[in-house]
């Protein structure tokens, strides 16, 4: 049987109690407000973010807070459906439209009529189908494969991509007109490395869930293990962190997750080879602000590690005034608050 391409909900619990984002970083607070604002408007939304940041979770929250909440939310992974069948899956088909079309099929846009359709990995959609999607967005009419008439649908579209669509346009694999049509309201989810202050909060969130699953264990994490998790770049973002906590909960013999159960790559220094900073300016350009934020965050992180979390000593290492250092801490998200369920150690993470 053909995989319909309906993606399962991302296991990225960015929302606590189904209502608010887990995290207190300014970028997350801003994201909460933007979600609340766009949810009440039936407009197209384009969600950007790296893999594992929670794009589908954001899309579901927009739908849940909208007037369409009682109707269907239809997630579609555009990369999971073979290109030659994607049009039929999206728009439906008539009986006999192609070999194997033994009956009429409504299509995913039809299933989402009155509700929301979430087009994940939109960059993987072939160019020919992009043109047809653009027409649907313009007039709200889908044409099933093999049909000579269109069918009007009222489906709110939320698209998502983990690649830079502007670069995809330059490579000739994504339509510029479709990009501008989708980007009515752009939402960007920050990667976890740009909001490190939320890492302890998310870890405690995941630990609490593990304690709910197994009430006989009062699972906590040591301060040293927390520092290693806090320092990691997390290329898989929140999904990777979630899976890591689940793994550590299994590997841990007692009730305290300590450094002995951490994978080797988490016990070594931060992986600079995964940096956003290029050796030279690439032809397609770069995001200078993001590079500056990463560079500041990297050195602030190292300074705090070298000084065992003493912010005044870290400021001296970087040649900064205490007030300047504190301001950069807030912007970079490197500051590490004391988690509520961390096992005590002699070392300090705070001044």
């Amino acid at each position: 049987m053909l995989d319909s391409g309906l993606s399962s909900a991302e296991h990225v619990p960015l929302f606590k109690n189904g209502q608010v984002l887990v995290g207190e970083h300014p970028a997350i607070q801003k994201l909460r407000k933007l979600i609340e604002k766009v949810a009440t408007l039936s407009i197209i939304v384009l969600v950007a973010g790296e893999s594992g940041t929670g794009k589908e979770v954001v899309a579901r929250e927009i739908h849940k807070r909208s007037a369409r909440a009682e109707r269907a939310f239809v997630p579609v992974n555009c990369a999971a459906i073979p290109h030659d069948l994607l049009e039929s899956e999206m728009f439906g088909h008539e009986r006999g439209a192609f070999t194997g079309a033994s009956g009429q099929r409504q299509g995913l846009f039809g299933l989402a009529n009155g509700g929301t359709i979430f087009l994940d990995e939109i960059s993987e959609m072939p160019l020919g189908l992009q043109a047809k999607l653009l027409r649907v967005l313009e007039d709200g009419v889908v044409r099933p494969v093999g049909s000579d008439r269109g069918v009007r649908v009222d489906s709110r579209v939320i698209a998502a991509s983990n690649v830079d669509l502007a670069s995809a346009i330059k490579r000739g694999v994504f339509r510029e007109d479709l990009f501008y049509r989708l980007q009515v309201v752009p939402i960007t989810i920050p990667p976890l490395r740009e909001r490190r202050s939320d890492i302890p909060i998310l870890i405690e969130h995941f630990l609490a869930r593990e304690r709910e699953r197994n009430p006989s264990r009062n699972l906590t994490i040591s301060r040293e293990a927390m520092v290693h998790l806090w320092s990691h770049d997390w290329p898989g973002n929140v999904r990777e962190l979630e899976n890591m906590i689940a793994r550590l909960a299994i590997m841990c013999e007692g009730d305290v997750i300590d450094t002995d159960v951490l994978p080797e790559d988490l016990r070594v220094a931060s992986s600079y080879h995964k940096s956003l900073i290029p050796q030279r300016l690439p032809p397609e350009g770069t995001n200078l602000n993001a590079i500056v934020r990463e560079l500041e965050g990297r050195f602030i992180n190292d300074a705090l590690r070298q000084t065992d979390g003493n912010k005044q000593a870290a400021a001296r290492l970087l040649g900064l005034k205490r007030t300047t250092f504190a301001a950069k801490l807030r912007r970079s998200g490197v500051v590490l608050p004391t988690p509520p369920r961390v096992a005590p150690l002699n070392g300090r993470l705070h001044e």
Side-chain angles (χ1 to χ4, degrees), residues 120-133:
D120 197 9
E121 297 194 57
I122 188 72
S123 62
E124 299 300 315
M125 182 177 290
L127 283 169
L129 189 54
Q130 289 179 30
K132 295 180 180 180
L133 174 61

Side-chain angles (χ1 to χ4, degrees), residues 24-44:
E24 297 302 328
H25 189 274
I28 295 301
Q29 295 183 26
K30 182 178 179 181
L31 181 57
R32 288 192 192 108
K33 294 178 181 178
L34 184 56
I35 288 171
E36 291 176 359
K37 182 177 295 186
V38 302
T40 60
L41 307 172
S42 288
I43 53 178
I44 301 172

Side-chain angles (χ1 to χ4, degrees), residues 203-325:
I203 289 174
E204 170 55 25
H205 179 69
F206 298 140
L207 287 175
R209 191 173 61 188
E210 293 298 330
R211 292 192 291 267
E212 289 178 1
R213 290 174 177 172
N214 192 350
S216 64
R217 298 184 68 188
N218 186 28
L219 199 62
T220 61
I221 185 168
S222 75
R223 188 67 60 83
E224 289 180 355
M226 176 68 81
V227 170
H228 284 291
L229 296 176
W230 171 59
S231 302
H232 188 57
D233 281 344
W234 299 108
N237 293 291
V238 182
R239 184 192 294 117
E240 182 186 7
L241 177 61
E242 177 191 16
N243 292 337
M244 178 58 65
I245 297 302
R247 170 183 171 182
L248 296 176
I250 295 172
M251 301 297 294
C252 178
E253 294 292 339
D255 286 343
V256 180
I257 296 173
D258 209 344
T259 55
D260 60 326
V261 295
L262 296 181
E264 184 178 356
D265 64 322
L266 291 182
R267 297 196 300 266
V268 298
S270 297
S271 50
Y272 286 0
H273 64 282
K274 298 175 183 175
S275 171
L276 291 174
I277 303 176
Q279 295 295 319
R280 59 181 59 86
L281 182 65
E284 66 274 13
T286 189
N287 188 330
L288 184 59
N289 289 330
I291 289 175
V292 171
R293 286 195 303 270
E294 182 186 348
L295 190 60
E296 285 189 345
R298 173 191 298 182
F299 282 102
I300 290 172
N301 188 27
D302 280 353
L304 286 170
R305 291 173 60 201
Q306 289 183 35
T307 60
D308 198 19
N310 188 309
K311 289 181 279 188
Q312 186 169 353
R316 286 197 299 268
L317 274 180
L318 297 173
L320 298 173
K321 294 180 179 180
R322 172 63 187 269
T323 53
T324 303
F325 182 79

Side-chain angles (χ1 to χ4, degrees), residues 85 87-98 100-107 143-147:
L85 296 176
E87 181 179 357
S88 170
E89 292 291 304
M90 294 275 287
F91 305 142
H93 61 251
E94 297 292 328
R95 180 179 180 180
F98 51 85
S102 56
Q104 189 181 52
R105 184 166 184 172
Q106 185 177 26
R143 187 180 297 276
V145 177
S147 175

